[in-house]
Amino acid sequence: EDMKKVGLVLLIIFSFFILSCKTKALTIESKNAVLYNLDSGEILYEKNKNEQVSIASLTKIMTTIVAIENIDDINKKVTLTPDMFTNLVKEQASVAGFQIGEVVTYKDLLYGAILPSGADATKALAISLTGSEDNFVKLMNKKAKKLKLKNTLFQNTSGLDTYNQYSSVNDVAKTLMYALKNKTFKKIYTSKRYKTSNGRLKLTSTFSDYLEKLDIDLDYIKGAKTGFTDDAGYCLSTIASKDKMNFLLVLANAPVKSNHNIPLHIFDTKKVYDYYFDKYGYHNLVDKNDLLISLNVVDAKEDTYPVYAKQDISTFYDNSFDEDNVKIVYDGINVIDKDISKGDHLGTLNILYGNKIVDTLDIFMNKDIHFNKEELSKTPLVLTFLILMTVLLIFGFFKLLYPKEKGIFHKSNF
């Protein structure tokens, strides 16, 4: 009995050891994080992803997409009024550099909201489109509800710390994935620089500024939005692409201190991406034109009906991928006969890696097969001809057997 208890304790300790080894494979300083595979929608890495936290200027992702969806013409001109700048200095908000009385376009304001993270731009968008920031915030919360963001509530358009304004890194990721489907938003989010329509301002991405100052090359990052407040710490959302892999990462609550002179949200982002780009990849389960299955055919010139892969079929997996674990499971008609016609559904083919179904293919008959019996019985004319020929052959056969049999026309009767 004591030995069993000791064994159980050792098993528990061993399990915790294995679990801790796995979690230590990738550790970051940010308190909240979520990494998505953009191709599959799968979450690859998470850390307190649903915790309600301050997200600072990552709020402007929602502000910008809601604005875009409420603008008829992004080139329409807007005159900036004093109420669009109220309390910005007092709140120490980051600004793009717009001025009271300046005439700009909605496009200028949209770029101003994302690239330099301008609270002047978000407030101008809100007031010019809905009459007040409060009215615009109602649209933001309505959109959050529509996107089923359960851990999000907005009180302002800029992300400045205020009572009862919160979100989660997972909600930010969902918002960003939704927003990136909009071509205008995606172009803005993936831009590094922009010159306003009146030529006065040259706007630069705050993320690009970080990289230039730190002399870091993260060329696989294709778009980014930064954020910082005392409550939120350093925040960062990014999308990255390399070796056919496409990721989306959102971090929040990175400590304010720095590590090796690199702000920790930048350091964490590099660490996460380098880990997954190095240790993961797309591995082919099936190559284009590979023979998937071969079905038997009866009563035809062809003995088999081969089914080939029309394209590569791959899976996202770490570098321990072993092609011996690939399985092809077919469920359907195994023998093709004259009752099967071109276009008929033959069955389904599951491509598995281990026990996970990676892809399911519907298999159809994609060509005509000439069956032996088919040509003989297809038309009544052919059948009639065959019967007639058979009768003539039988008649000829009897003539050969009895050539001198007397009949009514035999000449000995005349």
Side-chain angles (χ1 to χ4, degrees):
E1 188 71 30
D2 290 337
M3 288 299 293
K4 286 183 179 179
K5 288 182 180 179
V6 172
L8 181 61
V9 170
L10 290 173
L11 180 62
I12 292 171
I13 293 172
F14 180 72
S15 299
F16 273 112
F17 174 75
I18 295 296
L19 182 62
S20 64
C21 286
K22 286 185 177 181
T23 55
K24 285 181 180 179
L26 177 61
T27 58
I28 59 174
E29 298 291 333
S30 298
K31 294 178 182 177
N32 306 87
V34 65
L35 175 71
Y36 274 87
N37 180 335
L38 276 178
D39 299 314
S40 65
E42 178 186 6
I43 293 177
L44 305 175
Y45 177 82
E46 60 181 273
K47 182 180 180 183
N48 304 318
K49 70 177 180 1
N50 292 318
E51 182 183 2
Q52 294 178 356
V53 294
S54 295
I55 58 167
S57 288
L58 298 189
T59 300
K60 295 183 176 91
I61 293 170
M62 179 65 88
T63 306
T64 303
I65 186 59
V66 169
I68 290 171
E69 292 178 347
N70 285 275
I71 294 172
D72 294 327
D73 179 8
I74 64 171
N75 293 309
K76 184 179 178 180
K77 293 184 177 180
V78 180
T79 300
L80 305 182
T81 55
D83 56 339
M84 297 174 180
F85 297 84
T86 304
N87 293 330
L88 292 182
V89 175
K90 179 182 176 182
E91 294 168 342
Q92 296 183 323
S94 59
V95 294
F98 295 108
Q99 297 177 349
I100 295 173
E102 187 174 7
V103 177
V104 297
T105 63
Y106 278 124
K107 186 177 181 180
D108 296 334
L109 295 174
L110 293 169
Y111 274 90
I114 294 294
L115 268 61
S117 199
D120 49 352
T122 60
K123 206 162 188 177
L125 284 167
I127 293 172
S128 63
L129 287 170
T130 64
S132 72
E133 187 169 16
D134 287 342
N135 287 339
F136 192 88
V137 168
K138 289 177 182 177
L139 296 181
M140 293 169 65
N141 286 321
K142 185 178 179 181
K143 177 62 70 174
K145 189 174 182 180
K146 188 173 182 180
L147 296 177
K148 298 180 180 179
L149 309 182
K150 297 180 180 179
N151 297 297
T152 295
L153 183 65
F154 298 109
Q155 303 294 342
N156 61 49
T157 59
S158 62
L160 288 169
D161 293 331
T162 189
Y163 173 72
N164 214 27
Q165 170 148 311
Y166 54 83
S167 188
S168 68
V169 290
N170 199 38
D171 280 1
V172 173
K174 290 178 180 178
T175 304
L176 182 54
M177 283 187 278
Y178 168 80
L180 287 168
K181 295 175 184 176
N182 182 286
K183 291 181 181 179
T184 300
F185 180 92
K186 187 173 183 179
K187 187 174 182 181
I188 295 169
Y189 188 82
T190 55
S191 296
K192 294 180 180 179
R193 294 173 182 80
Y194 174 80
K195 188 175 183 179
T196 56
S197 57
N198 60 18
R200 194 182 68 81
L201 289 177
K202 293 180 180 179
L203 307 178
T204 306
S205 162
T206 51
F207 181 73
S208 295
D209 284 343
Y210 267 124
L211 298 186
E212 287 181 16
K213 289 175 183 177
L214 297 167
D215 194 26
I216 301 174
D217 182 16
L218 297 178
D219 61 342
Y220 49 68
I221 293 181
K222 307 304 179 185
K225 177 74 195 77
T226 60
F228 172 79
T229 66
D230 290 335
D231 285 352
Y234 285 108
C235 303
L236 182 60
S237 71
T238 52
I239 54 173
S241 298
K242 182 181 176 183
D243 298 333
K244 298 180 181 180
M245 292 179 278
N246 300 290
F247 300 142
L248 181 152
L249 175 65
V250 180
L251 305 174
N253 268 303
V256 176
K257 65 180 181 178
S258 62
N259 186 356
H260 302 294
N261 295 320
I262 302 175
L264 290 185
H265 59 329
I266 306 291
F267 184 80
D268 283 347
T269 295
K270 184 179 187 304
K271 191 174 185 180
V272 171
Y273 281 140
D274 285 350
Y275 179 89
Y276 279 90
F277 281 133
D278 180 56
K279 297 186 180 298
Y280 283 76
Y282 280 98
H283 305 271
N284 273 13
L285 306 177
V286 171
D287 293 328
K288 184 178 180 181
N289 297 323
D290 274 359
L291 177 64
L292 299 176
I293 53 168
S294 185
L295 304 177
N296 292 326
V297 180
V298 295
D299 297 327
K301 291 180 180 178
E302 302 100 323
D303 293 328
T304 59
Y305 176 75
V307 177
Y308 297 98
K310 294 181 179 179
Q311 59 189 25
D312 293 344
I313 298 174
S314 60
T315 187
F316 179 81
Y317 208 79
D318 65 38
N319 293 335
S320 67
F321 177 84
D322 183 353
E323 61 183 15
D324 289 339
N325 291 326
V326 178
K327 300 175 187 174
I328 298 175
V329 179
Y330 174 71
D331 180 21
I333 295 169
N334 290 304
V335 178
I336 296 174
D337 57 25
K338 60 184 178 60
D339 293 326
I340 307 296
S341 303
K342 184 177 180 181
D344 284 354
H345 184 255
L346 299 177
T348 56
L349 202 65
N350 286 324
I351 313 295
L352 299 90
Y353 184 72
N355 295 319
K356 180 183 177 182
I357 296 176
V358 175
D359 204 351
T360 299
L361 308 177
D362 280 310
I363 307 301
F364 292 90
M365 187 77 170
N366 61 12
K367 69 174 184 177
D368 287 316
I369 291 181
H370 298 290
F371 294 96
N372 296 333
K373 293 181 180 180
E374 187 180 34
E375 293 182 357
L376 299 178
S377 60
K378 223 168 190 181
T379 65
L381 185 62
V382 172
L383 185 59
T384 302
F385 176 76
L386 288 173
I387 293 171
L388 182 60
M389 288 297 295
T390 302
V391 171
L392 290 173
L393 284 171
I394 293 171
F395 181 77
F397 177 73
F398 275 101
K399 283 289 277 182
L400 287 172
L401 285 177
Y402 308 105
K404 296 180 180 180
E405 185 177 342
K406 294 181 179 181
I408 58 173
F409 296 110
H410 200 277
K411 69 178 181 178
S412 61
N413 293 326
F414 291 90

